[in-house]
Amino acid sequence: MPIIPAAFSCNRRAAKPFVWFACACSLFAGGCFDAKRPGPKLAFTGFAHPVIPPAVDVALVGAPEISVVTEERVTPLVVPHGAPARPRVATPPAAEHTAPGKPADPIMAPELSDAQVSLAKAATEKSLSVAEQNLYSARGKSLNIAQQDLVSKIQGFLDSAHEAVKNNDWPRAQIQARKAEVLSQGIFPNP
């Protein structure tokens, strides 16, 4: 049967200096056994009584009157809560509601000749039909976020063009319809 050495061996030579050191520390900390420390002496202490000066009757003749004026408290410059003051934002004025069917501002359009009006009508109708056809082709397909944003912008331009047509503002209708047409061609870019 094999002999297994102990995990902790007892070395008596290494323990002797440790024991001597512990004894020396305890003697040093304990002090001398014969002499006692002197206690506090109360011979030099005494109780002090305050000296009170004798009362003197002094009459103030011709003393000036002093008036006390209280002032209003000044608001502090520093916020005591430790948080900055909230910024004050002015609320926007309420929008005025106009009666339906009545335009808010008069529409100013340049005077066009009959030939210019017929050309503007034709260009507007062509641009509107192309833009609406491109929107119709995009309805069944799945669109990413950029394409969905583009479709909403195109719809806004189409609505604006239809409103201009109702008001016989052909130059504005032509511009809005052309914008819708150009944007609608960018929904599905050609490879």
Side-chain angles (χ1 to χ4, degrees):
M1 184 163 167
I3 300 174
I4 300 174
F8 299 106
S9 64
C10 183
N11 190 354
R12 294 185 185 209
R13 287 185 184 169
K16 277 186 180 181
F18 178 72
V19 171
W20 283 108
F21 180 71
C23 289
C25 286
S26 65
L27 284 176
F28 180 72
C32 188
F33 295 110
D34 295 339
K36 291 187 177 180
R37 285 189 176 174
K41 295 183 180 179
L42 298 177
F44 300 110
T45 59
F47 296 106
H49 296 288
V51 178
I52 300 173
V56 177
D57 197 14
V58 178
L60 295 177
V61 179
E65 288 189 28
I66 299 174
S67 61
V68 178
V69 179
T70 58
E71 295 183 10
E72 292 183 26
R73 182 175 179 213
V74 179
T75 57
L77 297 177
V78 179
V79 178
H81 301 292
R86 298 171 97 193
R88 294 184 181 174
V89 179
T91 57
E96 296 180 16
H97 297 288
T98 58
K102 189 176 183 183
D105 295 324
I107 298 174
M108 296 181 65
E111 295 216 12
L112 301 175
S113 65
D114 291 336
Q116 289 174 336
V117 170
S118 64
L119 285 174
K121 282 182 182 180
T124 301
E125 290 173 2
K126 178 183 172 237
S127 294
L128 285 175
S129 66
V130 169
E132 289 173 350
Q133 184 180 5
N134 288 342
L135 275 182
Y136 183 75
S137 66
R139 284 206 185 161
K141 299 179 181 176
S142 63
L143 304 174
N144 61 20
I145 296 173
Q147 290 172 333
Q148 291 173 357
D149 185 42
L150 196 60
V151 166
S152 67
K153 288 180 183 178
I154 293 168
Q155 192 62 43
F157 284 129
L158 287 176
D159 294 340
S160 179
H162 286 296
E163 182 182 333
V165 167
K166 287 179 186 176
N167 294 331
N168 288 330
D169 187 4
W170 293 106
R172 184 172 143 243
Q174 184 180 5
I175 291 169
Q176 298 296 321
R178 181 70 181 142
K179 287 180 182 179
E181 178 186 4
V182 170
L183 285 178
S184 70
Q185 292 170 352
I187 293 177
F188 299 110
N190 295 333

